[in-house]
Amino acid sequence: QVQLVELGGGSVQAGGSLRLSCAAFGFAESTCSGWFRHAPGNEREGVAVANSDGSTSYADAVKGRFTISKDNAKNTMYLQMNSLEPEDTAMYYCAADYRPWACPIETLRTRGKYWGQGTQVTVSS
């Protein structure tokens, strides 16, 4: 049974940093994996995606502040979040898929096969 487990959320002041992790269990290396967030009143949005070929993509809102990375030996993905802003407050989810067609960030957002339970990030001003 595949399970994705996110850790690392919490509360931080604006300008601070957090590091989220997403550990995959029962799952060989994915073709792509990514981070998404959902704030109350908003749709779930893509944050960053990492592909097995090493390529990454980011939402414009987080470029230059967030970094996605993977440790394949640990089957774990990370999201380093720096210069956090109150607008980054949301529930953050990780997702993964082994199907190449599901890997564009918008497709992964709507049709990704495996999802974690989410971890809350709250940024205060």
Side-chain angles (χ1 to χ4, degrees), residues 36-47:
F36 299 81
R37 65 187 183 185
H38 189 191
N42 293 342
E43 288 190 356
R44 183 169 58 191
E45 62 177 354
V47 176

Side-chain angles (χ1 to χ4, degrees), residues 5 10 36 54 111 113:
V5 179
F36 299 81
R111 302 183 67 184
K113 189 167 182 65

Side-chain angles (χ1 to χ4, degrees), residues 63-81:
K63 282 180 181 176
R65 300 188 297 121
F66 291 10
T67 303
I68 189 171
S69 61
K70 294 176 70 176
D71 185 334
N72 292 328
K74 297 181 179 179
N75 221 8
T76 300
M77 177 177 63
Y78 303 95
L79 185 69
Q80 178 66 43
M81 305 186 294

Side-chain angles (χ1 to χ4, degrees), residues 1-60:
Q1 183 175 353
V2 174
Q3 189 176 14
L4 302 181
V5 179
E6 300 107 331
L7 292 173
S11 296
V12 65
Q13 288 193 323
S17 298
L18 284 172
R19 188 193 196 203
L20 306 183
S21 65
C22 173
F25 300 93
F27 191 41
E29 182 179 351
S30 58
T31 302
C32 58
S33 52
W35 289 97
F36 299 81
R37 65 187 183 185
H38 189 191
N42 293 342
E43 288 190 356
R44 183 169 58 191
E45 62 177 354
V47 176
V49 170
N51 297 297
S52 58
D53 64 1
S55 62
T56 58
S57 62
Y58 294 89
D60 288 342

